Amino acid sequence: MSDVTTRRLDLAGTRGFATPGAGRLRRRAIAEFGFGWLQQLWREACAGRRREGVALAAVGSLARGDGGPLSDYDLVLVHHPRGLSGKEVAAFADRLWYPVWDAGVRLDHSVRTVADCRAVASDDLSAAMGLLDLTHVAGDVDVVNAARSTVAHDWRANARTRLPELQELVLARHARQGDLAHLVEPDLKEAHGGLRDLTVLRALTEAWLTDRPHGEVDEAYERILDVRDAIHVVTGRGRDRLVREDQDPCAALLGHVDADSMLTELSGSARIVAYAVDGTLRRALQSQRARTLRVGPRRPQLVPLGYGLYRHDGEAVLGPSAEVTSDPVIPFRAALVAARNAIPLSPATLRNLAVHSPSPGDPWPEAARDVFADLLAAGPGVVTVWEGLDLAGIVERWIPEWAAVRSRPQRNAVHRHTVDRHLVETVVSASGFVRDVARPDLLVLAALLHDIGKVAGAMDHSHVGAGLADGILRRMGTGAADREVVVRLVREHLTLVELATRRDPEDPATISALAQAVDGSVMTLDLLRALTEADASAAGPKAWTDWRAGLVARLYAACRAALVSANGAGGPLAIEPIESIESLTLRPEVLDEVAVGHPHVTVTSMGGAHRVDIIDRDRVGLFADTAGLLAAHGFVVRSALVRTLDGLAVNEWWIDSPGGDRPLPDIIARDLVRIGSGDRSPLSRLQRRRATAATAAGPVRSAGSGSPDSTRAMVVSGASDTATVIEVRAADRPGLLQDIGITLARAALAVRSAHIATFAGQTLDTFYVTEFGGHRLAPARAAQAVAMIIDTCDGP
């Protein structure tokens, strides 16, 4: 080991690594030593002669003063072309480079004129960002200043045209290296959220396109540098990758109780840097596009997304009408809107929600629970939105237990993410199966909580997690029956795959063990099967192989057949309708009002949700018209109970109002009368809302092997002796119920009863239909109706 290397390691030392602020002082001392040593080499190379028009400059970590104990040196010999000859410059460079090599220091070197620096920066984007840090070491300072100012000027002048190239370069590196925050053996320099991303942030700021966040970002950067320095000291090499065998000694050097503690802190720091570079690059690109398209003074381009949210510069922002300080559901709605549109919440909006929005309380409002389930089922857009919420402290306000798994590493070769990120990825994967289960809201809740028990000291994370999940769900206000299902799924989330891979899937004892685990429930078994695949798929390709999937499918099918046989039914139990008007209690004046052609409408508001009761004379198309009218007024149907009894329609609709408007009974009644008389104008606004939803606020389809884009419709055999029962599962959208109602009317079918529910962005609707004579549908007619419904739901 050379004297220079020994001296650099001595400056790093082994003491003081755990002292706050020591890393910055250590790196400054190492940089000062490096500059001093290189200046000595310069003097020796000059041999007492003055070198005009030639200078030694540094780029990279040495130039920034944040190099590690064994970081390499990036040096540039800058000269004027009219000074030394080419041979003289080459000979002089050799007198500089050879002593560096002889000292065992890794060296990246170049010899360039000012014009060469400019040309290289123009041709090579990475070189351009590096030359922005060009710092004088020795020699003619004017040459270095000329090169740096020229490169900086060109960077600012051409940054807008080079931004797409920069974005492509950054995204390719992130895809190649992965997320530092979630890797088991991360590259601290090149991974997403690593040291290289701070170079990108500085370059964007240097271009004058946008500012970058400081404060916690700079602190996070220093913590990553501390780990990098520890790697150098522990390994004796200038490495940037933190491999498993070095994690324990690095953690000890940095003063952590164990490697998991160090990795958790490193992951949290990387997340801060990653979120900062993603947001800063996005805003720079938006600034570039806005300036390119702008004619005259720039005005904010706000596209309404609903619930007081707007799209602005690629982010979701709160409008002035949002009641942040008084409505605890606002953060949930904001997150849902952003996730469905696959855009992040703006930093300002996140700060506003974190500081001013009230806690959801204990228990949560029902509207908050419903919107939270919709958020979890929103698909890939959840990842970025959840990350912003978590960094802002909002997730921990909702679920305090989340803090124990945040950035927690998993010492398991199967897993590719930290515990918290794995939970979110499982939620995204589970959103692909929402059409395969009767209760998708319970599926996504179980996906979010299934590994919540992976906390420090937990011996059996499934059982620990079940207890934690029970407390979380109680605080949310989840009903006892639903809570029991989710807790069971958390406790048993490994049971199906373990039985399938370690036992004979066709052995009656294996089937019995699985049936016992799901408490004999077909619905719970379906949820467990979906959760099993979602969990394994999110863990990584090693966890969900074709072999494993085949074994799970065999055991699931055998157990389901056994449960169906034991229970005597193969699907969800349909809801039997009320058979006569005597079963309902209606005031005589209401019946008199309806008898003369005036619908009776009442509205009951409960927080952000509204219950609309409508009693009217039954007619062909009333169901479709009512659903279309509510959608035309901008309301979102959460659930509904629609009955037709003795010629009287008695309907109960539960709705949300994205625009914040309270439904007005008189207007709904008036519009129903107009529509019933043939005036379709009250429905005209629905087409505009459909177009807006498709272009600006359309929900992002969930990703996953469950193929959620395909509608499921089926006849539920044996569900009723007097009507044909059709169950429909489809992705919710504006006007969907109206479209289904129109389709049933076009098929000349009477809707005797309809039971509408929306779980996690998916409709689960059950229709009791008959021929107009009151008879059940023949098999051919039922098949025709199912086909027409599927075409309607899957159509544009």
Side-chain angles (χ1 to χ4, degrees):
M1 185 179 295
S2 71
D3 292 341
V4 172
T5 301
T6 301
R7 178 57 178 157
R8 295 167 76 189
L9 287 172
D10 287 343
L11 288 170
T14 57
R15 299 179 182 178
F17 262 77
T19 304
R24 189 179 296 108
L25 296 176
R26 177 176 61 249
R27 287 183 284 274
R28 184 183 302 167
I30 292 172
E32 290 174 352
F33 167 77
F35 272 74
W37 178 57
L38 291 171
Q39 288 162 0
Q40 178 184 343
L41 295 181
W42 175 270
R43 290 191 293 271
E44 293 173 356
C46 290
R49 297 176 57 188
R50 184 178 178 83
R51 297 291 184 180
E52 297 289 346
V54 184
L56 181 63
V59 295
S61 61
L62 178 61
R64 296 188 297 270
D66 59 16
L70 297 179
S71 293
D72 56 355
Y73 284 176
D74 295 325
L75 302 177
V76 184
L77 186 63
V78 190
H79 65 98
H80 282 309
R82 291 190 296 273
L84 300 176
S85 67
K87 290 184 178 180
E88 290 174 322
V89 170
F92 184 65
D94 287 343
R95 290 199 296 273
L96 289 171
W97 308 150
Y98 275 98
V100 178
W101 287 324
D102 291 342
V105 177
R106 292 183 303 167
L107 175 64
D108 186 1
H109 61 89
S110 60
V111 178
R112 295 188 178 120
T113 64
V114 174
D116 289 339
C117 291
R118 186 176 191 180
V120 169
S122 176
D123 294 338
D124 188 331
L125 191 60
S126 296
M129 290 191 290
L131 287 169
L132 291 173
D133 293 325
L134 193 70
T135 301
H136 174 264
V137 176
D140 192 341
V141 67
D142 291 338
V143 180
V144 177
N145 289 341
R148 178 166 180 163
S149 62
T150 299
V151 170
H153 175 272
D154 289 349
W155 176 251
R156 287 191 291 271
N158 301 316
R160 290 191 179 89
T161 60
R162 304 191 74 174
L163 265 179
E165 181 187 358
L166 175 60
Q167 181 190 33
E168 183 178 349
L169 188 71
V170 170
L171 294 180
R173 173 169 55 82
H174 290 169
R176 187 170 59 251
Q177 298 293 340
D179 285 308
L180 193 162
H182 308 297
L183 292 171
V184 177
E185 295 186 326
D187 186 319
L188 304 189
K189 185 175 183 180
E190 301 293 344
H192 186 201
L195 303 176
R196 182 77 71 187
D197 281 339
L198 259 292
T199 302
V200 175
L201 284 176
R202 296 188 193 97
L204 291 171
T205 305
E206 189 75 22
W208 296 354
L209 287 176
T210 183
D211 194 8
R212 76 168 183 88
H214 292 273
E216 65 174 3
V217 175
D218 293 333
E219 294 172 1
Y221 180 62
E222 293 291 335
R223 289 192 292 270
I224 299 173
L225 288 172
D226 287 344
V227 178
R228 188 274 320 269
D229 293 353
I231 295 174
H232 288 193
V233 172
V234 166
T235 64
R237 298 182 180 182
R239 294 174 175 173
D240 296 314
R241 185 175 294 279
L242 180 61
V243 297
R244 290 176 187 268
E245 55 265 31
D246 298 332
Q247 291 173 3
D248 286 327
C250 285
L253 182 60
L254 291 166
H256 289 281
V257 294
D258 55 27
D260 282 359
S261 173
M262 177 191 67
L263 292 173
T264 298
E265 182 181 83
L266 177 64
S267 174
S269 300
R271 291 172 65 180
I272 293 172
V273 173
Y275 195 77
V277 74
D278 292 347
T280 303
L281 181 57
R282 181 175 59 251
R283 286 185 289 277
L285 287 163
Q286 290 293 337
S287 173
Q288 182 259 351
R289 295 189 187 104
R291 290 176 182 271
T292 300
L293 300 174
R294 183 177 70 191
V295 178
R298 185 186 181 194
R299 295 180 177 85
Q301 299 296 313
L302 300 176
V303 178
L305 301 175
Y307 299 111
L309 273 291
Y310 297 85
R311 183 199 297 269
H312 173 61
D313 281 353
E315 298 174 332
V317 300
L318 279 171
S321 62
E323 299 178 356
V324 178
T325 59
S326 60
D327 186 358
V329 186
I330 281 287
F332 296 94
R333 296 193 193 281
L336 171 62
V337 168
R340 281 186 169 175
N341 286 275
I343 57 177
L345 288 163
S346 74
T349 294
L350 285 168
R351 286 193 297 270
N352 191 4
L353 293 173
V355 173
H356 299 295
S357 64
S359 168
D362 183 358
W364 290 8
E366 182 179 359
R369 291 197 300 274
D370 291 341
V371 177
F372 187 64
D374 287 350
L375 167 64
L376 297 181
V382 170
V383 175
T384 300
V385 172
W386 190 272
E387 185 75 358
L389 294 168
D390 196 14
L391 291 175
I394 296 173
V395 170
E396 191 172 338
R397 182 190 303 171
W398 294 345
I399 307 173
E401 294 83 355
W402 193 261
V405 297
R406 181 187 295 112
S407 301
R408 184 166 181 78
Q410 303 202 70
R411 300 295 190 101
N412 188 321
V414 170
H415 280 282
R416 55 185 173 181
H417 297 121
T418 54
V419 176
D420 60 329
R421 179 60 178 269
H422 171 68
L423 292 174
V424 177
E425 291 288 347
T426 304
V427 166
V428 173
S429 184
S431 69
F433 300 97
V434 293
R435 205 69 57 76
D436 297 335
V437 296
R439 291 295 303 275
D441 55 330
L442 303 186
L443 171 61
V444 292
L445 275 174
L448 182 70
L449 301 177
H450 77 279
D451 274 352
I452 199 70
K454 284 187 174 179
V455 297
M459 299 299 293
D460 185 340
H461 77 275
S462 298
H463 282 79
V464 172
L468 293 172
D470 185 69
I472 293 168
L473 295 169
R474 286 178 185 275
R475 194 165 55 248
M476 288 181 178
T478 306
D482 289 350
R483 186 174 69 248
E484 182 180 346
V485 171
V486 176
V487 170
R488 180 177 294 275
L489 290 171
V490 172
R491 186 174 57 250
E492 307 291 347
H493 74 271
L494 296 175
T495 299
L496 173 55
V497 70
E498 288 181 349
L499 288 174
T501 56
R502 299 178 184 177
R503 305 261 291 273
D504 182 354
E506 297 179 357
D507 190 314
T510 306
I511 296 171
S512 177
L514 179 58
Q516 184 177 357
V518 297
D519 197 31
S521 167
V522 174
M523 182 192 78
T524 305
L525 177 64
D526 292 342
L527 289 169
L528 180 60
R529 199 220 73 81
L531 177 61
T532 298
E533 183 170 349
D535 180 19
S537 299
K542 295 180 180 179
W544 192 246
T545 61
D546 292 340
W547 164 79
R548 192 173 299 235
L551 292 177
V552 167
R554 286 174 59 192
L555 177 55
Y556 163 72
C559 185
R560 196 177 198 281
L563 291 179
V564 168
S565 176
N567 295 339
L573 297 178
I575 305 170
E576 285 289 358
I578 297 173
E579 296 295 344
S580 68
I581 195 65
E582 287 77 15
S583 302
L584 298 174
T585 302
L586 298 176
R587 300 193 309 273
E589 59 269 25
V590 172
L591 296 175
D592 293 341
E593 181 183 356
V594 174
V596 296
H598 295 292
H600 179 78
V601 181
T602 59
V603 174
T604 305
S605 297
M606 303 177 184
H610 309 279
R611 170 178 166 172
V612 181
D613 291 285
I614 301 175
I615 304 172
D616 197 1
R617 290 184 297 185
D618 190 28
R619 58 176 173 80
V620 176
L622 175 63
F623 165 74
D625 290 344
T626 305
L629 180 62
L630 292 172
H633 281 283
F635 303 125
V636 177
V637 176
R638 303 290 309 186
S639 64
L641 183 59
V642 182
R643 308 181 185 94
T644 302
L645 306 171
D646 299 339
L648 194 66
V650 183
N651 304 334
E652 174 187 310
W653 303 77
W654 287 85
I655 62 175
D656 277 345
S657 177
D661 299 327
R662 185 181 187 275
L664 300 177
D666 292 343
I667 293 179
I668 293 175
R670 181 201 64 193
D671 287 348
L672 283 174
V673 172
R674 291 172 60 186
I675 295 171
S677 63
D679 180 4
R680 311 296 289 180
S681 60
L683 298 174
S684 60
R685 284 188 293 177
L686 179 56
Q687 295 305 318
R688 294 195 295 272
R689 293 188 180 277
R690 289 180 197 265
T692 300
T695 57
V700 176
R701 297 298 190 190
S702 303
S705 59
S707 301
D709 285 330
S710 178
T711 297
R712 308 284 177 86
M714 58 178 286
V715 173
V716 183
S717 302
S720 173
D721 295 331
T722 57
T724 298
V725 180
I726 299 177
E727 182 184 273
V728 181
R729 303 183 186 186
D732 197 15
R733 58 175 168 80
L736 176 63
L737 284 180
Q738 184 198 32
D739 292 343
I740 295 176
I742 291 173
T743 298
L744 294 174
R746 193 170 68 245
L749 299 178
V751 180
R752 194 184 72 183
S753 176
H755 308 271
I756 313 301
T758 303
F759 298 112
Q762 300 291 315
T763 63
L764 177 56
D765 303 340
T766 305
F767 300 92
Y768 285 73
V769 297
T770 66
E771 302 286 4
F772 277 122
H775 304 295
R776 296 175 61 187
L777 277 61
R781 283 277 285 156
Q784 178 190 35
V786 167
M788 292 175 67
I789 290 172
I790 292 175
D791 289 343
T792 296
C793 294
D794 287 343

